[in-house]
Amino acid sequence: MVECNVLGPVTVAVDGQTAPPELLWKKNLALLVYLARSPGPRSREHLCGLLWGEKPESSARHSLNEALRILRRVLGEDLVQSDGQQVALAAGSVQLDTSRFEAATAREAWEEASRLVRGPFLEGFGVPDSSGFEDWIAVERRYWLQQSVLALSAHAELCATQGDIAGAARVAGRAVALDPLSDAAHRAAIRATALAGERAAALGQYDEFAGRLRELLGAEPQPETVRLADRVRRERSWQLPEILAGAEKEARRAPLVGREQALAEAMAAWESSRREKKPAVVALEGEPGIGKTRLAEEIASRARLDGAVVLGIRCVPSDLDAPWSGLVTFCRGELLEAPGIVYAPPGALAAIAQEVPEWRDRFEAEIGDAAPVPLARAFGGVARAVVEEQPLLLFVDDAEWLDEESARALAAVLRDLAGSHAALLLASPRPAARAVLMELRDQVGRDYVGCSLALEPLDEAHIRRLAAHFLPSYDAEQLDRLTRRVEADSAGLPLLVVELFNAVRLGLELGALDDSWPAPDRTLDQTMPGDLPDAIVAAIRIGFRRLGSDAQETLAAAAVLGDRVDAETLERTTGLSAAALLPALDELEWQRWLAAEPRGYAFVARVVRNVVARDMLTPGQRQRIQAAAGLE
């Protein structure tokens, strides 16, 4: 068996051993590769002109015969087929990596295909005195360069879809190195960087690529690349303190582990909505701390880079008794800037303007003297105007607290968006508490595409992967021991796993195992700080103390002031200026202490809020915060 790898520096093995030196002589190797790549027999005259065109005819034929003699000796007499006119290799006599590559790409096995790409076709190989062969190599290199970049870009996209952003960046970097002028390669790299939250770096990659194209080719990036850069430009920019430089910046933003399949299924539903022009419903279910919000953020980030308008709200218990609060919140923030809403029915714009004054200021001319329509119908009209221009993703976190009126309106809106690329993403405990939302989920497969994803605690293998991420200096035995301990202390809840590993990274020594956790039939939200293992409480304390002083003060106020608090109240309570408060809030969001929505900020996990309020503050501090906020 002869194996020949040509996607990169050429290598040849015969029966698993290094090929004989005479087979590796340039023209012998060139003949082997050319015949292996040929679709059928080649004439002797053609081969002589290809490789020995500078020689007289008789000398060229002699050189060809010598090369064929060596091929027969290595491959076997029966595998080199020739007569007085033509030469061919028997089918299957030489196994090329290009054949394996083509088979992998045909199956869309992108990871397998990308592993075969080691560089350009026959990298560094040439036969300078054989212009015909050099011309052939040039054509092959162009073809395989394009195919390799497409496979690497598809593999990078697959990694991103599965939540492996670091892997996506590595693979995209290989594509860019292979072809620095490829739009597809740079789109994959820009997308991976943007998904990592590095908006400025992603735009820097685009600017560098566009500049190189102009300088070397006098060309501009493809429209698809320009659109991607525009979407990244509209992404949020973070104001983070200098203390969060380098590795510290990523410390609490762990890679998505144990949720790769769930992310892939959710994105498949999003793609099905696009392909079938049918709304999608994706339900994320699981107990507090299981990672629903994180997974939803990953889905939303990808949808935005696909060009979608993404509208998200996070509900709290008090919302349940506030009719239409969810729907009105959707109408704030990003929706006001969405393309297409200027074409919504005037009555719809008028109805929303009654609830959100900014709409009256923005669309006064379009509203005119139009009479407001019912709010649910108004939101449906605006949503229809949006999807005429761009896809739409509506996300409801903690959907069990969504008010009944908004829940029913969202169900009606989704029915009205039949034939559109739109999706509703719902995150709630299992089972979902809202009957109307359960009905939506049950209609998946009939009226909607989508999926219901029940998130389970991380298993030992997933926790060990996170241990290796946070503590790369630990050896296998240390990682195994730490993994078992963290699994016991965290009950496999990703929120607590990350807190513990980050605290260990910062010096926390885990003491004796507390076997009282988790309490039977109690969720994380039902657990009081005193019922948590000491290690968990200590980890939260360490994370709190690592925050900047403004962020600590802001988080303390948020812990005291209620389930959700707006920026104005935080500014008044803390005494921080807006210039100081906004970076503090960014730091808290970036490090996943708080989650934001148009109405304000809430703790990602209520139990963390309880620990901060109980352990990080004295009774006097709590009273002063309440007094500053005007609370009794």
Side-chain angles (χ1 to χ4, degrees):
M1 179 186 295
V2 177
E3 294 182 359
C4 187
N5 297 321
V6 295
L7 294 178
V10 62
T11 64
V12 183
V14 179
D15 293 333
Q17 303 296 318
T18 302
E22 59 269 27
L23 182 62
L24 301 180
W25 294 345
K26 276 197 171 183
K27 291 194 177 181
N28 294 344
L29 183 54
L31 179 62
L32 174 70
V33 172
Y34 186 77
L35 290 175
R37 282 286 301 145
S38 295
R42 294 293 187 179
S43 70
R44 287 177 173 270
E45 181 180 356
H46 171 75
L47 295 174
C48 286
L50 185 77
L51 288 166
W52 295 278
E54 81 287 358
K55 291 186 176 183
E57 182 179 352
S58 59
S59 179
R61 283 184 172 272
H62 175 73
S63 296
L64 174 60
N65 289 334
E66 280 298 304
L68 291 173
R69 182 181 63 81
I70 292 174
L71 263 59
R72 287 191 184 95
R73 192 171 72 225
V74 175
L75 275 66
E77 290 289 336
D78 294 339
L79 299 184
V80 181
Q81 302 167 346
S82 66
D83 54 28
Q85 300 298 324
Q86 293 184 320
V87 177
L89 298 180
S93 58
V94 176
Q95 295 192 5
L96 288 170
D97 56 351
T98 51
S99 299
R100 298 196 299 276
F101 178 91
E102 288 175 321
T105 56
R107 302 193 310 273
E108 296 187 353
W110 304 117
E111 182 177 0
E112 178 184 342
S114 70
R115 282 200 303 267
L116 294 170
V117 178
R118 298 172 297 111
F121 181 80
L122 288 180
E123 182 179 0
F125 183 81
V127 186
D129 60 349
S130 301
S131 59
F133 184 76
E134 288 294 302
D135 291 342
W136 175 77
I137 282 186
V139 172
E140 289 283 295
R141 279 182 179 150
R142 284 194 295 272
Y143 173 77
W144 288 110
L145 179 64
Q146 181 184 47
Q147 297 304 307
S148 297
V149 166
L150 290 176
L152 289 168
S153 301
H155 183 204
E157 178 61 25
L158 177 64
C159 290
T161 299
Q162 296 175 341
D164 183 8
I165 304 305
R170 284 194 300 272
V171 177
R174 289 175 56 203
V176 170
L178 192 62
D179 186 1
L181 300 180
S182 166
D183 275 81
H186 282 277
R187 282 196 298 271
I190 291 167
R191 186 177 175 85
T193 304
L195 288 173
E198 299 287 352
R199 172 180 172 272
L203 292 175
Q205 289 174 325
Y206 171 78
D207 291 339
E208 182 180 352
F209 170 57
R212 185 183 297 119
L213 279 182
R214 295 186 194 105
E215 179 183 353
L216 297 180
L217 303 179
E220 295 293 330
Q222 293 174 355
E224 186 177 352
T225 311
V226 175
R227 287 193 294 271
L228 175 61
D230 287 341
R231 292 166 192 159
V232 172
R233 201 168 281 113
R234 291 193 294 271
E235 286 285 288
R236 176 176 177 180
S237 59
W238 297 85
Q239 300 181 58
L240 299 175
E242 293 182 3
I243 193 175
L244 288 182
E248 190 68 23
K249 181 179 180 181
E250 303 300 329
R252 289 169 56 88
R253 297 180 72 85
L256 193 69
V257 171
R259 302 291 181 254
E260 298 88 345
Q261 183 60 36
L263 179 60
E265 288 185 38
M267 295 314 299
W270 175 252
E271 176 60 22
S272 295
S273 173
R274 182 198 64 78
R275 186 175 58 251
E276 300 178 26
K277 291 295 183 184
K278 198 174 185 180
V281 175
V282 176
L284 308 180
E285 300 175 348
E287 62 179 299
I290 204 72
K292 302 185 297 295
T293 300
R294 168 68 191 281
L295 180 56
E297 288 173 355
E298 297 285 347
I299 296 167
S301 295
R302 286 154 179 77
R304 277 195 299 269
L305 289 178
D306 285 345
V309 173
V310 178
L311 307 175
I313 62 173
R314 181 182 176 89
C315 301
V316 298
S318 59
D319 294 334
L320 196 57
D321 299 322
W324 300 107
S325 58
L327 208 65
V328 170
T329 304
F330 272 127
C331 296
R332 297 175 178 164
E334 187 174 342
L335 182 59
L336 190 60
E337 305 298 328
I341 59 172
V342 68
Y343 302 114
L349 297 175
I352 296 175
Q354 286 185 327
E355 304 292 336
V356 185
E358 300 95 284
W359 284 63
R360 169 67 66 178
D361 299 336
R362 180 74 176 272
F363 302 113
E364 185 173 2
E366 287 78 10
I367 293 172
D369 56 359
V373 301
L375 190 57
R377 181 178 156 198
F379 188 77
V382 169
R384 170 59 65 183
V386 170
V387 296
E388 292 294 330
E389 299 284 335
Q390 289 182 262
L392 176 64
L393 173 64
L394 301 172
F395 163 46
V396 184
D397 199 3
D398 287 336
E400 69 273 22
W401 304 119
L402 180 66
D403 65 276
E404 187 70 16
E405 294 80 2
S406 295
R408 295 196 175 280
L410 286 178
V413 167
L414 210 61
R415 287 194 300 269
D416 291 344
L417 294 180
S420 302
H421 186 191
L424 178 61
L425 177 60
L426 303 168
S428 62
R430 185 176 58 233
R434 317 289 304 139
V436 64
L437 301 181
M438 292 179 68
E439 292 172 10
L440 271 176
R441 183 191 62 184
D442 294 341
Q443 290 169 3
V444 169
R446 301 197 312 268
D447 301 322
Y448 311 116
V449 297
C451 54
S452 181
L453 303 171
L455 304 185
E456 300 294 340
L458 300 180
D459 62 24
E460 183 177 343
H462 296 141
I463 295 173
R464 196 183 191 283
R465 283 174 56 192
L466 286 172
H469 167 78
F470 279 96
L471 301 156
S473 64
Y474 276 36
D475 61 28
E477 183 179 349
Q478 289 174 309
L479 289 175
D480 289 340
R481 186 165 58 249
L482 181 61
T483 295
R484 290 192 295 270
R485 173 57 198 272
V486 167
E487 184 178 22
D489 273 340
S490 67
L493 296 178
L495 172 79
L496 302 183
V497 171
V498 170
E499 287 290 347
L500 282 169
F501 280 139
N502 191 52
V504 171
R505 181 185 68 86
L506 295 172
L508 174 66
E509 294 185 6
L510 298 178
L513 180 64
D514 183 348
D515 58 5
S516 63
W517 164 260
D521 302 321
R522 298 284 293 276
T523 69
L524 187 60
D525 269 2
Q526 296 166 332
T527 301
M528 297 303 294
D531 298 327
L532 289 170
D534 290 342
I536 295 291
V537 176
I540 294 172
R541 288 174 179 162
I542 289 174
F544 179 85
R545 296 302 181 198
R546 294 287 293 185
L547 293 169
S549 59
D550 289 346
Q552 286 188 33
E553 190 172 352
T554 302
L555 193 66
V560 172
L561 294 179
D563 287 329
R564 183 173 56 230
V565 57
D566 59 60
E568 291 77 10
T569 301
L570 286 171
E571 185 177 349
R572 183 176 68 252
T573 304
T574 61
L576 295 172
S577 66
L581 179 65
L582 294 181
L585 288 169
D586 274 4
E587 180 180 353
L588 294 170
E589 274 195 85
W590 179 267
Q591 299 212 51
R592 303 192 190 283
W593 291 89
L594 297 180
E597 59 115 79
R599 290 171 290 189
Y601 296 83
F603 272 79
V604 170
R606 190 174 304 164
V607 70
V608 174
R609 173 194 167 194
N610 293 339
V611 170
V612 172
R614 185 198 74 163
D615 286 39
M616 301 291 101
L617 301 172
T618 66
Q621 287 174 314
R622 290 193 289 272
Q623 290 174 6
R624 286 192 292 274
I625 289 172
Q626 290 172 330
L631 302 176
E632 295 182 0

